[in-house]
Amino acid sequence: MPRLSSQLLAWYNKNKRTLPWRGHSDAYAVWVSEIMLQQTRVETVIPYFEKWMKIFPTVRVLAEASERDVLNAWEGLGYYSRARNLHKAAKMIVKEYKGQLPRDLDVLIRLPGIGRYTVGALASIAFGMDEPALDGNLKRVYSRLFDMSEPVDSSEGEMILWKIAKDNLPKGYAGDFNQALMDLGAAICVPKRPRCLICPLMKTCKARINGTQEQRPVKSPKKEIPHRMHAAGVIIKSRRVLLVQRPLKGLLGGMWEFPNGRVSGDPAKGVVKALETGYSLKVQKKEAMSIIQHTYTHFKLTAHVFRCELLSESKGENLKWVSLKKLEDYPMGKVDRQIANAIVQRNGT
């Protein structure tokens, strides 16, 4: 076994984290955890994973669930397409593979939401196959170990990293090796100020030897994130509030929100026009309720929230009157959940 992998595995055997999905006999649990961990910290994922496995303990239970229940269980974890893809893939697995995750990697990668990294993680951790994996943590670790000057988020950088991952994979120990790299990246080879002095690979890390560990990984220049301003209307009648369901595709697909629209200039004037243009709702603005700031992956949002009075009904198919007591049953993004919580608190339900 190469020196790098033997040193890393020795460290891992003594220091590996205790995580609820580790050592799980069911590949389904590993799959759920890997999808949840995409772009999300372990500490955040743990309670969501435990809750999810209680609600949807098997692929079949997940496949039979409603999309609303799936999105409700995911609410707050973000990147909701992950939940929708899990749901779609579960249905396919039940229908086409008798409820078992396929071990054929060419088949596995065709399932919704499963890419090259997830295939590698599932193959090595759940199925014991000798397959490399490469997520953000592993990219950072490898870029330092081999002192990569190419941007890790470029096509050339990706090719180099996958070759490194494959070439350094210890046969028969791929699952532990990939998880060891994940733990090393989380505990020692952290994004800023890596803890090199306690790293088991300090003497073999080329970036440490060359003094470039703080400059690795190299990333392509970030584009400036645009800012958007929205105005949302809270319309309450007979202890019911008007919600709208977002389109199934795109940002927050299938989630529920308060009628809103993009505005420029004075949002107090813009909210009336936005609701009429977007939903054929004729409203009168009554009072300002709050201003909410939120940052998504590709833009920053400022949402101005107003209490509005409905002047004429709209029969939009995505609009729905919901009892204030049942607002928590409707999955929402963080901005709209803040609005919902404020309404419930304000109206004493």
Side-chain angles (χ1 to χ4, degrees), residues 84-117:
R84 295 194 301 276
N85 284 330
L86 266 172
H87 196 207
K88 291 176 187 174
K91 291 180 178 181
M92 291 174 63
I93 290 167
V94 168
K95 183 179 179 180
E96 300 175 30
Y97 306 106
K98 300 180 180 180
Q100 300 294 319
L101 271 168
R103 297 174 69 97
D104 184 325
L105 305 191
D106 291 332
V107 172
L108 194 61
I109 202 168
R110 291 199 293 269
L111 292 174
I114 293 185
R116 188 176 180 183
Y117 162 73

Side-chain angles (χ1 to χ4, degrees), residues 16-45:
K16 60 184 173 185
R17 294 175 290 179
T18 300
L19 300 172
W21 48 84
R22 282 196 172 160
H24 213 290
S25 59
D26 189 357
Y28 167 66
V30 179
W31 172 40
V32 170
S33 72
E34 288 299 334
I35 299 301
M36 286 187 169
L37 286 164
Q38 292 172 4
Q39 297 179 288
T40 309
R41 294 175 62 84
V42 168
E43 300 78 25
T44 302
V45 166

Side-chain angles (χ1 to χ4, degrees), residues 111-258:
L111 292 174
I114 293 185
R116 188 176 180 183
Y117 162 73
T118 308
V119 166
L122 281 171
S124 61
I125 299 170
F127 301 142
M129 298 179 182
D130 289 324
E131 290 292 329
L134 197 64
D135 69 350
N137 256 343
L138 274 65
K139 287 181 180 180
R140 181 173 65 254
V141 174
Y142 279 132
S143 73
R144 287 174 175 159
L145 284 173
F146 294 88
D147 199 16
M148 269 185 59
S149 59
E150 293 83 5
V152 295
D153 52 358
S154 66
S155 56
E156 182 184 3
E158 286 266 349
M159 288 176 59
I160 294 170
L161 285 165
W162 276 109
K163 186 177 187 308
I164 288 173
K166 185 176 181 180
D167 290 347
N168 287 276
L169 196 71
K171 300 299 181 183
Y173 299 91
D176 280 353
F177 182 72
N178 288 333
Q179 290 180 96
L181 287 167
M182 295 172 195
D183 282 11
L184 190 76
I188 293 176
C189 198
V190 292
K192 295 181 180 179
R193 297 181 182 178
R195 299 160 187 157
C196 297
L197 295 180
I198 60 170
C199 179
L201 305 179
M202 181 178 71
K203 293 182 179 179
T204 56
C205 177
K206 292 183 180 179
R208 169 68 182 176
I209 293 168
N210 296 332
T212 56
Q213 65 271 27
E214 292 280 4
Q215 286 78 53
R216 304 289 181 260
V218 175
K219 293 185 178 181
S220 303
K222 287 186 177 180
K223 296 180 180 179
E224 186 176 348
I225 299 178
H227 177 263
R228 299 179 186 175
M229 183 165 64
H230 279 222
V234 173
I235 304 166
I236 298 176
K237 186 172 70 172
S238 302
R239 301 194 68 75
R240 295 184 305 161
V241 64
L242 193 61
L243 295 183
V244 61
Q245 188 175 28
R246 292 181 63 87
L248 295 179
K249 294 184 178 180
L251 180 69
L252 301 175
M255 306 290 276
W256 292 82
E257 64 186 6
F258 296 88

Side-chain angles (χ1 to χ4, degrees), residues 257-276:
E257 64 186 6
F258 296 88
N260 71 91
R262 196 166 175 177
V263 297
S264 58
D266 183 0
K269 294 179 180 178
V271 67
V272 173
K273 183 178 179 181
L275 268 57
E276 182 172 7

